């Protein structure tokens, strides 16, 4: 494989052809094209940029460096970039406190003083007591790219097991800290992903899940298979950890474990990829010779363990209830004929259930907005809890003996607050509210329903300044996800607040494929129904134009991960409809996604090119394969990161190279921005979040003419 020809040319200025303060013609780094052709079920498919899948090769590194240089040189010409960056920094500079957690009389919470790259974990002897710093991840790296991913205090409040991630990777390292001294013990565990941290009742150690150590240099690309559940005894080396459960016959099963509040059972959750259906086994922890009991072995539905009272286990499930219900299974007589329905399916999807303080607290989604109901443990005496407004809630954690719990409330224009709930009375009171330099009273949030291509009614939230004129000249950002049963609910975002302040319209669409209306809504947007998701998103854009909010030249689309796929598919299917596109960490090669890290897990959502029935559909909408030479695509800023080991950056590399090759000669800029020491998104240093958002908003303002 010969080295690619790479150029980092200057910018050629051409008056009046593009939508920025001044116009320019970009010359992109040349990327070689290899004669790679795969045969799928008798069909030949070219993959000329296959070489970009090797992120360790010198030629890929050189291409990334050249692309970043061109992108940064372009972004540096945008005068509004610095103004946006300064506003983002000012708006982000407020104290943010997370929901507190109590353990053995000690209270733990995460706080960010404002512009810290990572939140800091604090501990206090009482809820209103003076907190002290327990763990500051900002001290673990020079650039703020080590993040605190999980924390779990021991039951006696003496030790803290915590997991950190470096550079945005999904790989975690677990350590143990003495809470009194703030010093780490010698315990250090590695090669952990998608794992919980659950202490034994006697605090002798904890349960966690890990994968085999990958081959050297392949930790960010190698398939993740054969996860196993272990018990780590405090003070011992990881090599001595006890293997609790594995399935050599099921390499793709995810295996997680958690101890019940009473310490008597280990609940073993078995999943396969992102399939919502799972299996649940358990093991008695009071009998040292106990075997693993396969309580729910069929994998016929989703079963979320909520808690237990003695031998009775409670689950949230979609079995015979696509919008979910709560059931009880007595392990002493586990036959299905003996199961009890505690809380039946309602008209709205049951989003989240917690079993705390001797009650069930159930969060429902009503047209993608939260409502919360408290029930007795027999499912009787429902009490709807009063919320601060229309928005989204989260929290309600705790244990059966607790008398209070905490929840957070937020909306698109309200940074929200944390409330303390008295479980017995159902009354809540404000605990912490942030002070943010943003006046949400100047904006309005509306929910509108539009008709998609097949006649389905789809909701979207529209947020804008109250003085907006419907004359089609408004810069509008259309955001969506549409997959994996993930719901897009109202929530505050500093970056979006700056977009709104600058006159932009924000639109969030509740696409099929999400969970907003239960399992049926999800099923309507996955596998062979995936095109419905793209049709919904396109329909939202067309509706916004018809209603006068915006025009094609002022309409931008944004999405990340599965949402990056959404943006890539829609901009290739309807390049005429959009003025700009921001696909982030997207799944862009639908024929090879299953070959890297955890990509195989998504076949339950997308299907697989290995399957003859799935292949034609995947090829049809795969963004990388759908690009056509000479097409005028919208101005595009592809974003990814070098440590993204969930959606490997090769997806974005190949898409960007092909997009630059295919873009019409008079077309607007199509660029790629590759972040360093960052990953799929979680745990990204705040400074990097601000830099990326500054670039994205400046790019959009240069690409969308607005009222000018």
């Amino acid at each position: 494989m010969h080295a690619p020809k790479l150029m980092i040319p200057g910018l050629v200025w051409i008056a009046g052809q593009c939508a920025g303060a001044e116009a320019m013609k970009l010359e992109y780094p040349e990327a070689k094209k290899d004669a790679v052709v795969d045969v799928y079920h008798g069909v030949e498919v070219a993959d000329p940029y296959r070489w970009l899948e090797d992120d360790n090769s010198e030629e890929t590194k050189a291409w990334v460096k050249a692309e970043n240089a061109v992108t940064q040189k372009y972004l540096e010409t945008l005068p509004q970039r610095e103004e946006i960056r300064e506003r983002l920094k000012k708006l982000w500079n407020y104290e943010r406190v997370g929901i507190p957690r109590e353990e053995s009389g000690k209270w733990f919470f995460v706080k960010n003083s404002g512009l810290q790259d990572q939140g800091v974990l604090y501990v206090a002897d009482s809820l209103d007591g003076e907190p002290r710093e327990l763990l500051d991840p900002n001290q673990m790296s020079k650039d703020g790219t080590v993040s605190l991913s999980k924390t779990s205090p021991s039951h006696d409040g003496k030790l803290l097991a915590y997991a950190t991630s470096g550079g945005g990777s999904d790989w975690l390292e677990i350590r143990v800290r003495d809470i009194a001294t703030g010093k780490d013990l010698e315990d250090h565990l590695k090669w952990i992903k998608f794992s919980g941290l659950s202490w034994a009742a006697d605090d002798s150690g904890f349960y966690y899940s890990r994968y085999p150590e990958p081959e050297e240099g392949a930790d960010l690309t190698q398939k993740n298979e054969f996860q196993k559940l272990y018990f780590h005894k405090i003070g011992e080396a990881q090599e001595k950890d006890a293997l609790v459960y594995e399935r050599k016959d099921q390499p793709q099963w995810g295996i997680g474990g958690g101890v019940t509040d009473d310490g008597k059972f280990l609940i073993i959750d078995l999943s396969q990829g992102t399939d919502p259906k799972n299996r649940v086994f358990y093991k008695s922890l009071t009998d040292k010779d106990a075997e693993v009991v396969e309580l729910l072995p069929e994998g016929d539905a989703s079963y979320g363990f909520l808690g237990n009272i003695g031998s009775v286990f409670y689950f949230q499930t979609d079995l015979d209830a696509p919008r979910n219900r709560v059931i009880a299974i007595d392990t002493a007589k586990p036959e299905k004929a003996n199961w009890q329905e505690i809380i039946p399916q309602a008209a709205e999807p049951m989003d989240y259930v917690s079993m705390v303080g001797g009650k069930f607290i159930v969060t429902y989604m009503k047209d993608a907005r939260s409502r919360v109901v408290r029930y007795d443990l027999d499912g009787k005496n429902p009490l709807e809890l009063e919320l601060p407004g229309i928005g989204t809630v989260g929290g309600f954690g705790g244990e059966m003996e607790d008398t209070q719990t905490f929840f957070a409330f937020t909306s698109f224009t309200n940074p929200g607050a944390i409330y303390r709930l008295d479980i017995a009375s159902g009354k809540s009171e404000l605990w912490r509210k942030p002070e943010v330099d943003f006046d949400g009273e100047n904006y309005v949030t509306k929910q509108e329903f539009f008709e998609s291509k097949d006649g389905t009614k789809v909701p979207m939230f529209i947020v804008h300044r109250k003085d907006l004129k419907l004359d089609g000249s408004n810069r509008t950002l259309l955001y969506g996800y549409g997959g994996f049963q993930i719901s897009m609910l109202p929530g505050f975002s500093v970056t979006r607040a700056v977009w709104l302040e600058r006159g932009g319209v924000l639109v969030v669409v509740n696409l099929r494929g999400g969970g907003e209306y239960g399992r049926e809504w999800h099923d309507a947007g996955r596998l062979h129904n995936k095109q419905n998701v793209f049709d919904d998103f396109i329909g939202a854009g067309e509706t916004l134009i018809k209603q006068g909010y915006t025009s094609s030249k002022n309409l931008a689309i944004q999405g990340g991960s599965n949402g990056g796929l959404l943006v890539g598919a829609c901009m290739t299917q309807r390049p005429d409809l959009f003025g700009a596109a921001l696909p982030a960490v997207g799944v862009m090669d639908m024929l090879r996604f299953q070959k890297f890290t955890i990509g195989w897990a998504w076949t339950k959502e997308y299907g697989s090119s290995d399957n003859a029935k799935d292949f034609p559909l995947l090829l049809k909408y795969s963004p990388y394969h759908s690009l056509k030479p000479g097409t005028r695509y919208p101005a595009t800023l592809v974003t990814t990161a070098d440590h993204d080991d969930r959606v490997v950056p090769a997806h974005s590399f190949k898409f960007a190279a092909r997009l630059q090759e295919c873009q019409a000669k008079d077309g607007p800029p199509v660029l790629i921005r590759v972040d360093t020491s960052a990953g799929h998104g979680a745990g990204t240093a705040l400074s990097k979040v601000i830099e990326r958002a500054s670039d994205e908003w400046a790019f959009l303002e240069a690409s969308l003419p607005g009222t000018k």
Side-chain angles (χ1 to χ4, degrees):
M1 191 177 285
H2 60 81
K5 295 179 181 178
L6 294 167
M7 298 186 297
I8 308 177
L11 301 173
V12 181
W13 297 93
I14 301 176
Q17 287 189 3
C18 297
E22 293 190 69
M24 64 179 64
K25 177 180 173 60
L26 289 167
E27 292 187 31
Y28 306 110
E30 280 192 31
K32 71 173 183 182
K33 294 179 66 176
D34 284 337
V36 176
V37 177
D38 295 312
V39 179
Y40 295 88
H41 313 289
V43 179
E44 291 188 350
V45 180
D47 189 0
Y49 297 108
R50 176 76 57 83
W51 60 275
L52 285 168
E53 291 181 355
D54 185 358
D55 59 335
N56 288 318
S57 74
E58 291 304 316
E59 56 189 352
T60 298
K61 292 177 181 178
W63 179 85
V64 169
K65 182 178 180 181
E67 289 285 353
N68 268 343
V70 171
T71 298
Q72 289 305 317
K73 204 161 190 177
Y74 171 79
L75 293 171
E76 287 167 2
T77 68
L78 306 180
Q80 62 272 47
R81 183 192 191 198
E82 186 60 31
E83 178 186 326
I84 293 170
R85 181 191 291 114
E86 289 305 310
R87 180 55 182 154
L88 282 166
K89 287 175 66 176
K90 183 178 180 182
L91 199 52
W92 268 112
N93 195 11
Y94 70 96
E95 184 180 87
R96 301 180 294 285
V97 178
I99 293 176
R101 172 182 178 179
E102 186 268 341
E103 197 65 66
S104 191
K106 290 184 173 64
W107 289 88
F108 302 84
F109 60 88
V110 173
K111 183 179 77 172
N112 190 310
S113 62
L115 293 177
Q116 291 176 290
D117 275 320
Q118 305 290 343
V120 178
L121 181 67
Y122 288 82
V123 61
D125 292 329
S126 68
L127 190 60
D128 300 315
E130 185 67 27
R132 63 179 174 87
E133 183 182 297
L134 178 59
L135 200 159
D136 183 2
N138 297 289
Q139 303 300 317
M140 297 180 180
S141 66
K142 292 181 180 180
D143 57 0
T145 56
V146 170
S147 63
L148 186 59
S149 299
K150 295 179 183 294
T151 61
S152 181
S154 59
H155 301 294
D156 60 11
K158 294 181 179 180
L159 298 176
L160 176 80
Y162 69 95
T164 58
S165 168
S169 169
D170 280 334
W171 287 116
L172 303 177
E173 297 185 34
I174 296 176
R175 295 176 174 84
V176 180
R177 178 158 294 195
D178 184 296
I179 292 174
T181 66
K183 303 293 184 181
D184 282 348
L185 307 184
E186 292 185 0
D187 304 68
H188 184 193
L189 317 182
K190 297 181 68 176
W191 306 119
I192 297 152
K193 271 189 185 184
F194 316 124
S195 171
L197 282 173
S198 186
W199 287 88
D202 62 0
D203 293 330
S204 60
F206 53 82
Y207 296 88
Y208 73 100
S209 306
R210 63 160 288 183
Y211 287 97
E213 182 176 348
E215 297 174 9
E216 186 175 355
D219 52 308
L220 297 179
T221 55
Q222 186 173 311
K223 269 189 178 183
N224 302 138
E225 295 181 314
F226 295 103
Q227 190 178 41
K228 301 176 184 180
L229 179 63
Y230 286 90
F231 178 76
H232 173 72
K233 188 175 182 180
I234 298 300
E236 294 194 348
Q238 186 176 17
E239 295 75 34
K240 294 184 178 181
D241 288 352
L243 176 63
V244 178
Y245 194 78
E246 67 173 332
R247 288 297 293 261
K248 294 180 180 179
D249 61 326
Q250 297 289 347
Q252 295 185 344
W253 277 16
I255 304 175
V259 180
T260 55
D261 284 353
D262 60 11
K264 295 181 179 180
F265 299 96
L266 175 68
I267 306 299
I268 302 173
D269 185 272
L270 303 154
S271 58
Q272 186 166 9
T274 57
D275 190 344
K277 297 178 181 178
N278 65 318
R279 297 166 173 82
V280 180
F281 301 167
Y282 73 91
K283 181 179 181 179
S284 171
L285 296 177
T286 57
D287 178 2
K288 66 178 182 178
D289 298 320
E291 298 290 328
V292 171
V293 178
E294 298 188 0
L295 179 65
L296 298 167
E298 301 299 326
D300 57 347
S302 168
Y303 298 96
F305 179 78
L306 301 173
N308 70 298
I309 299 176
S311 64
V312 179
F313 290 5
Y314 294 87
F315 294 91
Q316 177 183 351
T317 183
D318 64 0
L319 180 70
D320 302 323
R323 294 183 299 282
N324 281 279
R325 60 182 177 142
V326 174
I327 63 170
I329 301 175
D330 189 339
T331 56
K333 42 182 181 179
E335 297 79 14
K336 189 172 289 189
N338 298 321
W339 293 6
Q340 287 186 298
E341 181 176 81
I342 305 300
I343 304 175
Q345 174 178 251
E348 303 96 9
M350 183 182 286
D351 184 31
Y352 176 76
V353 182
S354 63
M355 193 172 171
V356 58
K359 304 285 184 180
F360 288 113
I361 299 179
V362 182
T363 302
Y364 294 96
M365 287 182 292
K366 182 175 177 59
D367 292 329
R369 298 176 293 185
S370 296
R371 77 178 188 95
V372 183
V373 181
R374 189 206 66 187
Y375 295 89
D376 291 344
L377 290 181
D378 59 2
K380 307 297 184 183
N381 299 318
L383 173 68
E384 182 151 359
L385 304 184
E386 186 176 342
L387 299 179
I390 296 173
T392 304
V393 297
F396 301 111
E399 299 180 351
M400 286 294 286
E401 66 271 17
D402 292 344
T403 59
Q404 62 183 350
T405 185
F406 293 78
F407 68 93
F409 173 86
T410 183
S411 69
F412 287 116
T413 57
N414 180 354
I418 297 174
Y419 295 83
R420 174 165 39 187
L421 174 72
D422 181 87
I423 297 172
S425 69
K427 301 295 184 182
S428 60
E429 62 180 14
L430 180 67
W431 181 65
R432 289 285 180 89
K433 183 177 181 180
E435 297 296 327
V436 187
D437 183 26
F438 177 79
D439 188 358
E441 294 299 317
N442 295 330
Y443 304 87
V444 62
T445 299
K446 296 181 287 186
Q447 186 179 45
E448 296 191 6
F449 290 78
F450 66 92
E451 195 170 284
S452 191
K453 185 177 181 179
D454 64 356
T456 300
K457 295 289 186 181
V458 179
M460 60 180 171
F461 292 102
I462 305 174
V463 191
H464 57 77
R465 287 201 313 221
K466 289 181 176 178
D467 60 357
L468 182 83
K469 295 180 180 179
L470 297 179
D471 58 5
S473 68
N474 303 294
R475 292 188 179 110
T476 299
L477 181 64
L478 179 62
Y479 181 89
Y481 188 80
F484 298 95
Q485 209 164 348
I486 294 174
S487 302
M488 294 291 102
L489 305 179
F492 184 74
S493 159
V494 168
T495 55
R496 287 174 172 175
V498 171
W499 173 259
L500 291 169
E501 282 183 337
R502 297 177 68 84
V505 177
L506 170 67
V507 182
V508 178
V509 196
N510 300 113
L511 306 164
R512 280 176 285 184
E516 290 88 347
Y517 293 101
R519 188 181 66 210
E520 293 163 331
W521 194 253
H522 176 216
D523 288 343
R526 72 182 184 116
L527 297 173
H528 287 220
N529 293 323
K530 190 65 178 177
Q531 184 59 42
N532 286 337
V533 182
F534 312 139
D535 289 342
D536 291 353
F537 203 52
I538 289 168
E542 292 174 334
T543 300
L544 292 167
I545 293 170
K546 289 177 184 176
Q547 293 183 352
Y549 284 99
T550 191
S551 59
S552 289
K553 64 182 179 180
N554 278 310
L555 178 60
I557 50 176
Q558 183 188 39
S561 194
N562 176 74
L565 160 63
L566 169 73
V567 172
C570 290
M571 65 178 279
T572 53
Q573 291 183 16
R574 286 294 307 277
D576 61 303
L577 186 59
F578 311 109
L582 297 176
V585 294
V587 188
M588 299 304 201
D589 184 343
M590 298 307 297
L591 302 187
R592 289 177 59 79
F593 69 85
Q594 71 274 22
K595 298 182 180 297
F596 304 99
T597 60
I598 202 67
W600 57 263
W602 313 329
T603 58
K604 298 293 184 179
E605 183 79 13
Y606 300 137
S608 170
S609 60
D610 299 330
N611 185 319
K613 292 183 179 179
D614 297 338
F615 164 70
L617 177 66
L618 291 168
L619 178 63
K620 186 176 181 181
Y621 73 74
S622 176
Y624 172 58
H625 299 94
S626 298
L627 292 162
K628 296 179 176 59
T631 303
R632 184 182 175 90
Y633 291 103
T636 304
L637 181 61
V638 179
T639 54
T640 188
D642 62 353
H643 277 62
D644 189 345
D645 50 357
R646 191 172 306 180
V647 181
V648 293
H651 283 278
S652 294
F653 293 173
K654 292 167 65 175
F655 179 74
R658 176 71 173 154
L659 177 61
Q660 289 176 351
E661 174 198 349
C662 292
Q663 177 68 313
K665 290 182 178 180
D666 64 343
V670 287
L671 304 167
I672 182 169
R673 182 188 188 278
V674 185
D675 214 341
T676 56
S677 297
H680 198 61
T684 301
L686 178 58
S687 56
K688 290 183 175 292
V689 171
I690 290 172
E691 290 299 316
R692 184 177 66 240
S694 304
D695 290 347
E696 290 175 329
W697 289 175
F699 181 82
L700 290 189
E701 289 195 10
S703 303
L704 309 176
T707 57
K708 296 179 182 178

